Amino acid sequence: MSLSEFSLIQRFFTQKKSRNACTRLGVGDDCALLSIPAGHELAITTDTMVENVHFFADTDPEQLGHKLLTVNLSDLASMGAKPVSVLLALTIPNVNEPWLSAFAKGFMDLAERYEVDLVGGDTTSGPLTLTVQALGVVPQGQALRRSAAKVGDFICLTGPIGDAGLGLKINEGYGCADPEPALRQFNKPEPQIDAGLAIRECANACIDISDGLTSDLGHILKQSQVGACIYWQALPLSDAVQTYIEETGDWRMPLVAGDDYQLCFTVSPDHIGQLTIDCVKIGVIESEPGLRLNKSGIIEFLEVKGFEHFS
Amino acid sequence: MSLSEFSLIQRFFTQKKSRNACTRLGVGDDCALLSIPAGHELAITTDTMVENVHFFADTDPEQLGHKLLTVNLSDLASMGAKPVSVLLALTIPNVNEPWLSAFAKGFMDLAERYEVDLVGGDTTSGPLTLTVQALGVVPQGQALRRSAAKVGDFICLTGPIGDAGLGLKINEGYGCADPEPALRQFNKPEPQIDAGLAIRECANACIDISDGLTSDLGHILKQSQVGACIYWQALPLSDAVQTYIEETGDWRMPLVAGDDYQLCFTVSPDHIGQLTIDCVKIGVIESEPGLRLNKSGIIEFLEVKGFEHFS
């Protein structure tokens, strides 16, 4: 990183001080240095957001900074990991100070809420492309893996689905009596960090709903070599999403729309009583492969797919 | 990551098996999991390369994959860290299979040489932008920091400088009798991993020469709050670079050109005898701020700058 890039990053992204006990050395050297607590493993993930693919040029930069970090912290949440630090690779066409300042505010406000340090990054000129690498810690052997679902497990959600999808429909022109909650879920979703930590000791498999329930639950089913049945009546849907379905007939939307960032996890009947957070049971893991939806007694077979680039 | 993206990554970037003892869980879940050896810290860095900024569309993809990884591993080398794993965030305009296959070969061949596992990533569609996050381990408190140079230290280089810069000049039209070595250094530089590990116990400060000697040594001087004098006669310059200087008069090129990826480090006279690798003493750390070049007894004051975006 050149001196001017470093100054740029420093100016907009400087934290008042390191907030996380794992940080040994932050921004300003060739590498950052972290210490990982004894008995813990490091969880790492990376996600990229590209202008005109994941967001439009007129997206509010403060919400974009928040969402970029949410997308990455959500992957840590779904492993039951506690976030400790992030790196930010920022490719920007030019130095737009108001934009950078607002973007940094959205990003850093969320980072500070979870005591996450921004410990490094790279700033380059080019088409707007935002990549975060997030690092978290989890006690050895306790990470929640997609491959750990067992036949008989309940399938649970940490909160409602379909609101982000409804936000996208509203942006595309759908008229909604009370659009704000859905738009907020689409534009400024929250990572389910606390839920991931709370379910870690009793859940088996877990994933975050970033690509849509059927797609993401499908990953659990495939990697655990099981199937599932979910119950339409049990799905947590907001009034606005229910109204959308009544008006359009598009009942699949909350099942396939992405960007909700709720956690979908499985837990055995023996451990369901130990859950310390509110969540909703939506179905059961079964030995029969495939994903089935029980809709008032009628079984629909759901295709396991969500949003795919290059498809 | 959607199923199709995951298949894409899997197809081109799958390793035969995990090679690094730190890897607990690789590609395929929301996060990868690493275990860090007791008594060690984690070193992390990220670097991005953007088409038409860091490389041209016709760049050989195998060399590009190699260079992208070198740029990142070089940051680990300069801290004295041993690389263990990498994540790759790949933004590509389309699925060009021959390009991806060659790019992956260049990347994975170098990764396998250093037993580095590719443990995760993200694939998105968009303008060609390549971001790597590299993770390494270093014994607690032994990382080589930019801020650790002491007055009286010798300044050393692990190898010649200016060849990558000459490669760029050749690409821009300069006629060179033997262009191959310079072009190789520019297109396919090697990270000085082994040198970083070898000097870790006796060096003070260290940095990699990615932005040019004056710029990168300048970071050490600034962060260590010292100055330096380097000696023109001592600089390790290849015959081709010397010929270039004779023909063009451009003696500053090897001082300011980037992409050499040699390490520049400082070592106290008490410890210089303990160095177990070949390296070249080029100057001395002084208390007087600034960077001076002694050119046959005449002192030139060097501006501390290299390649800068947005300047």
Side-chain angles (χ1 to χ4, degrees), chain A:
Chain A
M1 193 190 298
S2 75
L3 271 174
S4 66
E5 291 168 320
F6 178 59
S7 310
L8 183 79
I9 284 277
Q10 271 210 316
R11 179 158 155 216
F12 291 110
F13 293 91
T14 292
Q15 291 174 286
K16 281 155 213 118
K17 54 175 181 145
S18 162
R19 285 164 188 274
N20 197 286
C22 292
T23 306
R24 286 284 163 273
L25 183 66
V27 171
D29 213 309
D30 290 289
C31 296
L33 295 171
L34 300 188
S35 73
I36 307 303
H40 284 68
E41 289 174 340
L42 180 78
I44 46 172
T45 182
T46 186
D47 270 292
T48 297
M49 292 178 71
V50 183
E51 189 179 56
N52 298 324
V53 178
H54 301 88
F55 60 93
F56 293 107
D58 62 356
T59 299
D60 177 272
E62 185 173 338
Q63 291 181 336
L64 182 63
H66 177 101
K67 185 165 179 174
L68 175 67
L69 187 53
T70 289
V71 167
N72 281 275
L73 295 187
S74 181
D75 282 327
L76 295 177
S78 72
M79 302 292 280
K82 186 175 166 56
V84 297
S85 42
V86 288
L87 293 93
L88 174 62
L90 200 57
T91 301
I92 49 181
N94 50 54
V95 179
N96 176 336
E97 299 200 8
W99 190 94
L100 271 173
S101 169
F103 174 82
K105 182 174 188 330
F107 190 93
M108 298 306 287
D109 281 356
L110 180 59
E112 292 186 10
R113 182 139 48 96
Y114 288 102
E115 297 181 339
V116 171
D117 285 341
L118 177 67
V119 296
D122 191 16
T123 310
T124 52
S125 57
L128 190 58
T129 309
L130 311 164
T131 297
V132 165
Q133 178 196 28
L135 301 100
V137 294
V138 57
Q140 219 154 17
Q142 284 193 26
L144 298 169
R145 301 186 180 193
R146 296 178 179 181
S147 58
K150 299 273 179 290
V151 173
D153 280 1
F154 288 115
I155 301 165
C156 303
L157 285 175
T158 52
I161 55 171
D163 290 293
L166 180 61
L168 182 60
K169 297 285 180 193
I170 292 167
N171 279 342
E172 289 170 355
Y174 171 73
C176 177
D178 179 20
E180 282 316 313
L183 287 172
R184 194 184 322 121
Q185 181 62 32
F186 179 70
N187 291 320
K188 208 180 170 188
E190 296 296 327
Q192 299 299 313
I193 300 291
D194 296 332
L197 297 176
I199 65 174
R200 191 171 63 199
E201 289 192 27
C202 44
N204 286 329
C206 186
I207 196 166
D208 67 322
I209 308 294
S210 53
D211 292 334
L213 176 66
T214 56
S215 174
D216 289 316
L217 177 56
H219 287 300
I220 288 182
L221 302 185
K222 193 175 167 190
Q223 293 191 34
S224 299
Q225 300 184 49
V226 292
C229 185
I230 57 179
Y231 296 83
W232 176 257
Q233 306 295 350
L235 291 178
L237 304 179
S238 67
D239 290 348
V241 169
Q242 292 192 38
T243 302
Y244 167 82
I245 292 170
E246 283 158 22
E247 290 182 357
T248 65
D250 180 15
W251 58 268
R252 291 174 192 270
M253 185 279 281
L255 298 171
V256 299
D259 276 340
D260 282 314
Y261 301 103
Q262 298 296 338
L263 302 182
C264 174
F265 61 99
T266 82
V267 58
S268 83
D270 295 347
H271 292 125
I272 194 97
Q274 295 164 24
L275 285 177
T276 57
I277 54 161
D278 281 341
C279 58
V280 184
K281 279 185 282 186
I282 61 163
V284 184
I285 297 291
E286 300 176 336
S287 57
E288 173 79 15
L291 177 55
R292 292 162 291 281
L293 175 69
N294 184 324
K295 210 161 176 277
S296 310
I298 297 164
I299 303 293
E300 298 260 1
F301 292 86
L302 299 176
E303 245 195 301
V304 176
K305 73 181 207 189
F307 177 73
E308 298 191 359
H309 296 284
F310 313 119
S311 60

Side-chain angles (χ1 to χ4, degrees), chain B:
Chain B
M1 192 190 299
S2 74
L3 272 174
S4 67
E5 292 168 321
F6 179 60
S7 308
L8 184 80
I9 285 277
Q10 270 211 316
R11 177 158 158 215
F12 290 110
F13 292 92
T14 292
Q15 292 175 285
K16 279 155 214 117
K17 52 173 183 147
S18 163
R19 287 164 186 275
N20 197 286
C22 292
T23 307
R24 285 284 164 276
L25 183 66
V27 171
D29 214 309
D30 290 289
C31 295
L33 295 171
L34 300 188
S35 73
I36 307 303
H40 284 68
E41 289 173 340
L42 180 77
I44 46 172
T45 182
T46 185
D47 271 293
T48 297
M49 293 177 71
V50 183
E51 188 179 58
N52 297 325
V53 177
H54 301 88
F55 62 92
F56 294 107
D58 62 356
T59 300
D60 177 273
E62 186 172 337
Q63 290 181 338
L64 181 63
H66 177 100
K67 187 166 180 172
L68 175 67
L69 186 54
T70 288
V71 167
N72 281 276
L73 295 186
S74 182
D75 282 327
L76 294 177
S78 71
M79 302 292 281
K82 186 174 166 57
V84 297
S85 42
V86 288
L87 294 92
L88 173 61
L90 200 58
T91 301
I92 49 180
N94 51 53
V95 179
N96 176 336
E97 298 199 11
W99 190 95
L100 271 173
S101 170
F103 174 81
K105 183 176 188 328
F107 190 92
M108 297 306 287
D109 280 357
L110 180 58
E112 292 187 9
R113 182 140 47 96
Y114 289 102
E115 298 182 338
V116 170
D117 284 340
L118 177 67
V119 295
D122 191 15
T123 310
T124 52
S125 57
L128 191 59
T129 308
L130 311 163
T131 297
V132 165
Q133 299 94 359
L135 300 99
V137 293
V138 56
Q140 219 154 18
Q142 284 194 26
L144 299 169
R145 300 185 181 195
R146 296 177 178 181
S147 58
K150 299 272 178 293
V151 173
D153 280 1
F154 288 115
I155 301 164
C156 302
L157 286 174
T158 51
I161 53 172
D163 290 293
L166 181 60
L168 181 59
K169 297 286 182 193
I170 292 167
N171 279 343
E172 291 170 354
Y174 171 73
C176 177
D178 179 20
E180 283 314 315
L183 288 173
R184 196 183 321 120
Q185 181 62 34
F186 179 71
N187 291 319
K188 208 180 170 187
E190 296 295 328
Q192 300 298 313
I193 300 289
D194 296 333
L197 297 175
I199 65 174
R200 191 170 63 199
E201 288 191 28
C202 44
N204 286 331
C206 186
I207 197 168
D208 67 323
I209 309 294
S210 53
D211 292 333
L213 177 65
T214 56
S215 174
D216 288 315
L217 177 55
H219 287 301
I220 287 181
L221 303 185
K222 193 174 168 193
Q223 294 191 33
S224 299
Q225 301 184 50
V226 293
C229 185
I230 56 178
Y231 296 85
W232 175 258
Q233 306 296 349
L235 292 178
L237 305 178
S238 66
D239 290 348
V241 168
Q242 292 193 39
T243 301
Y244 167 83
I245 293 169
E246 283 158 22
E247 290 182 357
T248 64
D250 180 15
W251 58 267
R252 291 175 192 268
M253 184 278 283
L255 298 171
V256 298
D259 275 342
D260 281 316
Y261 301 101
Q262 298 296 339
L263 301 182
C264 174
F265 61 98
T266 83
V267 58
S268 83
D270 295 346
H271 292 125
I272 193 99
Q274 293 163 25
L275 285 176
T276 55
I277 55 160
D278 282 342
C279 59
V280 184
K281 279 185 282 187
I282 62 163
V284 184
I285 297 291
E286 299 176 339
S287 57
E288 172 79 15
L291 178 55
R292 294 162 288 283
L293 175 69
N294 185 325
K295 211 160 175 276
S296 311
I298 297 164
I299 303 293
E300 300 260 0
F301 292 86
L302 299 177
E303 245 194 300
V304 175
K305 72 181 210 191
F307 176 72
E308 299 190 0
H309 296 284
F310 314 117
S311 62

